[in-house]
Amino acid sequence: MKEVPFYKILVLPALLLSLLTSCKKEFSGDNYVAYFGGEVSNPTSPYVLFCKDNIVIDSIPLNKDNTFSIKFDSLTPGLYTFKNEPEYQYVYFDKNDSIKVHIDSKDFDESINFCGRGDQKNNYLMEMYLRNEKDKNNMFEVFDFGFDKFNNYINKTNKENQKFYASKKEEIKWSDDFDVYAKGIVNFPFYTKKEIYPMIHKMRTGEDVTSKLPKDFYTFRKKIEYSNEALVEFSPFVMYLDHMLNNVGAVNYHNHFTDVDLALKTNINKLNIADTLIKNERVRNIVLNNIALKYLLEDQNMVNNQEFLITYHKLSTDKSKKNEILRIGNAIQLLTEGKTLPEVHLVTPEGNSISSNSLITKNTILFFWSEKLTSHLIAAHKKVLDLKTKYPNYNFIAINLDDDSDKWKAALKKYNFGTITELHCANFEDIKNKWAITKVHRTLIINADRTIKNGFTNMFDVHFEDDMK
């Protein structure tokens, strides 16, 4: 993300300013009335979503002048997010805060500025976020440094950030609850650099610096409140925890395993470490779910997926119907070799609904693509056109996973892949739950009788064609 000037002066419409002043009359010691509003330049959606822990609390429509506002009769103090999709950012509310925000979707994060009651602490979070983003962009070459030079660099940056944090804390005098985030947005990016340095340095330079790290290099881990529910959806903490688990859970004797088996063992290690480290049941389940979802998004090996899920089910106590991992696990069981492919409904370019059952009349390859992943969609279609000439006994069906069917149709006209059957997924949740589709790189090989030959493969795998014979 490019460096930008400090925050622009924001001039709010008179209507919004009057709301800011008038709402103060409604504050009293025993209520939690709060206001949120602002203006969105170049909006990408007609709504601003106001969320807590990834759950939408309210969908706030934009007015004709792209302003929005809402009164909450009772809003629990804490960290929230607001979205003009697909972008989002944090906003923190203390009791009776009345916060306005300016957003320009063309430069989302850099454009954000808060004003009103509660603005100072939120502007602090935004400035620290932008500092971290700028620093992240500068870190590309820093990970190549030897340990001493690397350590001096990150310590210097951290010292500057800690000084900024201390001055703002003294100036604003924020609450202890907010301090969890104010301090976390400084500490966790610093800790993350330490966690990923040995791995990235070795990957980029070939040098293993693990033995050169001081004994106290990771002592900060002991101070982190891993079971703090306030942090479980806070992205700097989530990112740090993911890298820390990767670091601690890494398997060192790499040559003994294939890449897929190494990934399996590393992720099972991560599950076990999280289970031991995190005492709070809700936080532990969320972290276990995050590990599992990320692993299942990356790995499509049937045997490994099942082995991983055995450990996950042993450790997780989240049995809710909303648990995505349970749904994916159930779908994986349905895709065992020899079972009949579950039925889903797809849409033709003409807009007609069609059952997957009626599509499969001979050996069939099902593959997936997204208009957003251009290189993959081109490579996948070219690969299939080549396979069609080699395997005329197969039918090849491309399924687009994007939400927007108009963009799908536009992509079809643009690329014109000819004789490949093209269909659109109208209900992604259905296809995800029944076919365990979590990413576009999956390929399914289906027999003529609709039984599964291989439900977890990739057409770019070197052994892919072995399953087609």
Side-chain angles (χ1 to χ4, degrees):
M1 192 172 292
K2 64 180 184 293
E3 183 178 0
V4 295
F6 193 68
Y7 295 102
K8 303 172 185 176
I9 297 174
L10 173 65
V11 180
L12 287 175
L15 175 63
L16 296 178
L17 288 174
S18 66
L19 179 60
L20 278 172
T21 54
S22 65
C23 67
K24 293 179 181 178
K25 300 174 184 177
E26 301 189 35
F27 296 156
S28 65
D30 60 351
N31 72 40
Y32 286 84
V33 170
Y35 294 83
F36 182 55
E39 181 180 14
V40 183
S41 300
N42 305 301
T44 55
S45 165
Y47 298 90
V48 171
L49 302 180
F50 189 76
C51 311
K52 178 69 173 173
D53 296 338
N54 289 321
I55 298 172
V56 177
I57 294 175
D58 221 312
S59 180
I60 314 168
L62 294 179
N63 300 317
K64 291 182 179 179
D65 59 357
N66 291 334
T67 61
F68 68 96
S69 63
I70 189 170
K71 172 187 175 183
F72 296 102
D73 292 330
S74 181
L75 187 68
T76 303
L79 190 70
Y80 296 82
T81 56
F82 58 92
K83 302 179 181 181
N84 189 236
E85 292 187 313
E87 302 282 0
Y88 81 96
Q89 195 48 265
Y90 291 112
V91 59
Y92 187 92
F93 275 83
D94 277 316
K95 181 181 179 183
N96 296 144
D97 274 351
S98 181
I99 298 172
K100 300 298 171 190
V101 62
H102 174 265
I103 311 162
D104 187 336
S105 67
K106 290 186 176 179
D107 211 9
F108 191 87
D109 293 319
E110 291 87 345
S111 72
I112 290 176
N113 197 359
F114 297 93
C115 70
R117 179 170 175 163
D119 63 340
Q120 288 182 297
K121 56 184 178 289
N122 283 294
N123 282 326
Y124 162 80
L125 284 182
M126 276 309 307
E127 183 162 356
M128 272 310 311
Y129 171 82
L130 293 174
R131 280 178 174 231
N132 289 334
E133 288 298 297
K134 178 183 175 183
D135 183 53
K136 190 187 300 181
N137 292 335
N138 292 336
M139 287 297 296
F140 186 76
E141 294 181 356
V142 176
F143 288 113
D144 291 352
F145 294 170
F147 173 73
D148 289 338
K149 188 176 180 181
F150 167 81
N151 202 42
N152 289 337
Y153 180 92
I154 65 169
N155 283 337
K156 180 177 181 294
T157 305
N158 183 54
K159 186 176 181 180
E160 294 170 356
N161 287 339
Q162 293 290 350
K163 184 177 179 180
F164 178 69
Y165 156 77
S167 67
K168 287 298 181 180
K169 183 179 181 182
E170 175 63 26
E171 174 190 342
I172 300 171
K173 301 187 186 308
W174 52 57
S175 66
D176 290 342
D177 288 339
F178 177 74
D179 195 56
V180 171
Y181 305 108
K183 189 184 298 181
I185 203 169
V186 175
N187 288 342
F188 290 122
F190 174 60
Y191 298 159
T192 296
K193 294 173 197 171
K194 291 192 164 196
E195 297 290 354
I196 64 179
Y197 171 64
M199 294 177 283
I200 294 182
H201 184 80
K202 184 175 182 179
M203 179 178 65
R204 288 171 57 85
T205 69
E207 180 191 17
D208 189 344
V209 296
T210 306
S211 61
K212 299 180 181 179
L213 302 179
K215 292 182 179 179
D216 63 350
F217 192 61
Y218 293 116
T219 53
F220 63 84
R221 291 172 178 167
K222 298 177 182 178
K223 299 185 297 183
I224 297 174
E225 298 179 49
Y226 296 100
S227 293
N228 189 343
E229 289 197 38
L231 291 171
V232 74
E233 301 288 352
F234 188 47
S235 62
F237 171 74
V238 173
M239 184 176 297
Y240 164 73
L241 187 61
D242 182 52
H243 289 303
M244 184 275 286
L245 292 171
N246 280 334
N247 196 6
V248 178
V251 177
N252 294 321
Y253 35 98
H254 294 180
N255 295 336
H256 294 198
F257 303 104
T258 64
D259 288 343
V260 291
D261 288 341
L262 186 64
L264 171 66
K265 292 184 180 298
T266 298
N267 280 278
I268 286 179
N269 283 349
K270 289 167 66 173
L271 291 176
N272 286 318
I273 293 165
D275 181 63
T276 302
L277 190 65
I278 302 170
K279 307 305 178 186
N280 180 293
E281 182 179 17
R282 176 175 176 268
V283 176
R284 183 172 61 251
N285 280 335
I286 290 174
V287 173
L288 292 175
N289 286 349
N290 287 342
I291 295 169
L293 185 58
K294 186 176 181 182
Y295 174 71
L296 293 171
L297 283 169
E298 293 174 350
D299 183 67
Q300 298 298 343
N301 180 286
M302 172 66 84
V303 174
N304 284 0
N305 280 344
Q306 289 176 322
E307 186 175 342
F308 175 84
L309 287 168
I310 288 171
T311 302
Y312 167 79
H313 289 307
K314 182 175 71 175
L315 300 179
S316 174
T317 58
D318 182 3
K319 308 303 180 188
S320 70
K321 292 181 179 179
K322 294 181 180 179
N323 187 341
E324 190 169 10
I325 310 305
L326 291 178
R327 294 200 297 269
I328 293 174
N330 291 336
I332 288 171
Q333 298 303 317
L334 294 174
L335 296 172
T336 305
E337 181 181 353
K339 288 190 175 180
T340 301
L341 182 71
E343 181 186 25
V344 302
H345 284 85
L346 302 161
V347 179
T348 68
E350 296 74 32
N352 300 318
S353 177
I354 186 169
S355 165
S356 60
N357 288 349
S358 64
L359 290 169
I360 301 171
T361 56
K362 64 178 185 178
N363 294 341
T364 301
I365 298 293
L366 298 167
F367 69 102
F368 306 86
W369 62 279
S370 168
E371 174 265 340
K372 299 171 186 175
L373 299 173
T374 306
S375 59
H376 172 264
L377 83 85
I378 294 173
H381 281 81
K382 286 184 176 179
K383 176 76 172 181
V384 166
L385 289 173
D386 178 59
L387 291 171
K388 277 176 69 70
T389 62
K390 295 170 68 175
Y391 299 94
N393 59 317
Y394 269 87
N395 188 22
F396 294 84
I397 299 173
I399 299 174
N400 176 267
L401 298 177
D402 294 320
D403 293 331
D404 193 328
S405 61
D406 290 335
K407 288 186 177 180
W408 165 59
K409 292 175 184 177
L412 292 182
K413 290 181 181 178
K414 178 179 179 180
Y415 295 105
N416 187 22
F417 289 116
T419 57
I420 300 172
T421 301
E422 297 281 355
L423 298 168
H424 182 247
C425 169
N427 186 339
F428 180 72
E429 286 300 312
D430 188 50
I431 202 170
K432 181 174 69 174
N433 293 339
K434 291 180 179 177
W435 291 1
I437 300 301
T438 53
K439 63 177 185 178
V440 297
H441 300 88
R442 271 277 297 290
T443 308
L444 285 72
I445 304 177
I446 310 300
N447 296 314
D449 62 357
R450 291 192 288 109
T451 58
I452 297 164
K453 190 169 188 180
N454 191 336
F456 292 87
T457 187
N458 184 327
M459 72 171 70
F460 297 104
D461 188 289
V462 292
H463 302 295
F464 175 73
E465 291 184 49
D466 294 342
D467 283 333
M468 296 182 65
K469 296 171 182 176

